């Protein structure tokens, strides 16, 4: 079965420090992986995706993620966190068998402290 | 740039009533997805449409139905509402059918409260 795990419910980081939000996946074949961010009472906003090609993917707002096939991970990173990065982050994998849909992780709340 | 539009933004209904949620995708996007997000939960896929035809179905209750119209807007109809239907309902659109390679563009959501 295809699944996504975000092992941390919440991540706290000081402003200016690097941040990492973890995501691991279980999927057969080549995964399509995505990161979305959700601010309070807002819809999800796309940050970045990995479809194929370079393992290091750069996205919006200075975020990047590294696809690691051997560790089945797709961790989201940013070199220097901003208070405005505080939000709920969802990792998702596109399911390519059966129902075509996103499988979302449970979300990680990022809190950047001033 | 145009975004996905959802209406209404907030809706309050009584148990056993019906509700209709509307979604207007980004122009030239041919695929619409509906999601339900309960408090503190990740979005759950309900149903999707590609070129006005239902393409996939997720965990959508039989009390719910949806369709996509000729102008590509979509409506989610919910009948016999239950307290547990209280949630944020998102619509998303994408330009690439169900290939999955393109990101989805989410609307702001409709917050449904069932009393």
């Amino acid at each position: 079965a295809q699944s996504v795990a975000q092992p941390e419910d919440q991540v706290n980081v000081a402003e200016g420090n690097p941040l990492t939000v973890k995501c691991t996946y279980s999927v057969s074949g080549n995964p399509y992986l995505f990161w979305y961010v959700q601010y309070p009472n807002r819809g999800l906003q796309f940050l970045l995706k990995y479809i194929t090609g370079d393992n290091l993917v750069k996205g919006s707002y200075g975020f990047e993620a590294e696809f690691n096939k051997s560790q089945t991970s797709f961790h989201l990173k940013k070199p220097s966190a901003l208070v405005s990065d505080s939000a709920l982050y969802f990792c998702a994998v596109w399911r390519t068998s059966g129902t075509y849909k996103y499988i979302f992780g449970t979300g990680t709340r990022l809190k950047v402290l001033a | 740039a145009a975004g996905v539009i959802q209406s209404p933004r907030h809706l309050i209904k009584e148990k056993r009533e019906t509700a209709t949620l509307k979604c207007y995708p980004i122009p030239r996007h041919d695929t619409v997805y509906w999601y339900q997000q309960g408090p503190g939960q990740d979005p759950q896929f309900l149903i999707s449409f590609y070129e006005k035809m239902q393409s996939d179905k997720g965990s959508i209750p039989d009390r719910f139905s949806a369709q996509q119209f000729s102008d590509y807007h979509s409506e989610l109809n919910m009948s016999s509402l239950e307290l547990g239907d209280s949630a944020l309902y998102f619509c998303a659109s994408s330009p690439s059918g169900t290939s999955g390679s393109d990101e989805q563009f989410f609307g702001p959501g409709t917050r449904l409260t069932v009393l």
Side-chain angles (χ1 to χ4, degrees):
Chain A
Q2 297 175 323
S3 65
V4 173
Q6 292 181 244
E8 300 155 319
D9 290 336
Q10 181 159 323
V11 169
N12 295 328
V13 63
E15 188 175 30
N17 282 3
L19 69 88
T20 299
V21 182
K22 295 180 180 177
C23 172
T24 58
Y25 65 90
S26 173
V27 63
S28 56
N30 297 317
Y32 290 178
L33 295 160
F34 297 80
W35 275 102
Y36 285 86
V37 60
Q38 185 176 29
Y39 296 97
N41 299 312
R42 301 280 297 274
L44 279 68
Q45 294 178 36
F46 169 76
L47 282 177
L48 50 79
K49 65 182 177 183
Y50 173 83
I51 304 299
T52 186
D54 289 341
N55 290 342
L56 184 63
V57 178
K58 294 189 182 294
S60 307
Y61 312 119
F63 284 94
E64 59 187 31
E66 185 166 11
F67 171 65
N68 188 317
K69 190 170 185 177
S70 62
Q71 297 186 4
T72 61
S73 66
F74 190 56
H75 300 333
L76 181 70
K77 299 184 179 186
K78 187 174 181 180
S80 178
L82 299 172
V83 171
S84 57
D85 293 329
S86 298
L88 188 56
Y89 290 79
F90 288 102
C91 180
V93 64
W94 180 256
R95 185 179 177 187
T96 55
S97 62
T99 302
Y100 291 97
K101 65 173 185 177
Y102 279 141
I103 298 171
F104 284 99
T106 50
T108 298
R109 187 164 299 282
L110 173 67
K111 192 170 184 179
V112 181
L113 308 168
Chain B
V4 175
I5 297 171
Q6 290 187 248
S7 67
R9 293 293 309 277
H10 301 273
L11 192 57
I12 299 175
K13 291 286 185 178
E14 301 277 344
K15 279 193 307 184
R16 292 180 288 278
E17 285 191 321
T18 61
T20 298
L21 279 54
K22 296 184 179 182
C23 168
Y24 298 85
I26 292 172
R28 291 181 296 281
H29 281 196
D30 53 19
T31 309
V32 166
Y33 304 84
W34 285 97
Y35 295 88
Q36 178 192 60
Q37 186 179 30
Q41 296 181 0
D42 57 292
Q44 296 294 312
F45 170 71
L46 293 177
I47 195 166
S48 61
F49 293 88
Y50 169 63
E51 282 292 344
K52 294 158 278 185
M53 299 288 289
Q54 179 184 308
S55 55
D56 276 293
K57 206 169 182 180
S59 49
I60 184 169
D62 292 340
R63 300 177 288 109
F64 294 6
S65 64
Q67 57 182 324
Q68 187 178 31
F69 295 86
S70 58
D71 63 352
Y72 291 94
H73 94 272
S74 178
E75 295 184 4
L76 178 66
N77 298 292
M78 310 160 72
S79 63
S80 302
L81 287 169
E82 302 173 356
L83 296 177
D85 296 329
S86 295
L88 202 50
Y89 290 84
F90 290 110
C91 166
S93 72
S94 77
S96 60
T98 54
S99 72
S101 58
D102 281 327
E103 61 270 28
Q104 294 181 17
F105 294 78
F106 284 76
T110 295
R111 183 170 295 283
L112 173 66
T113 302
V114 181
L115 302 176

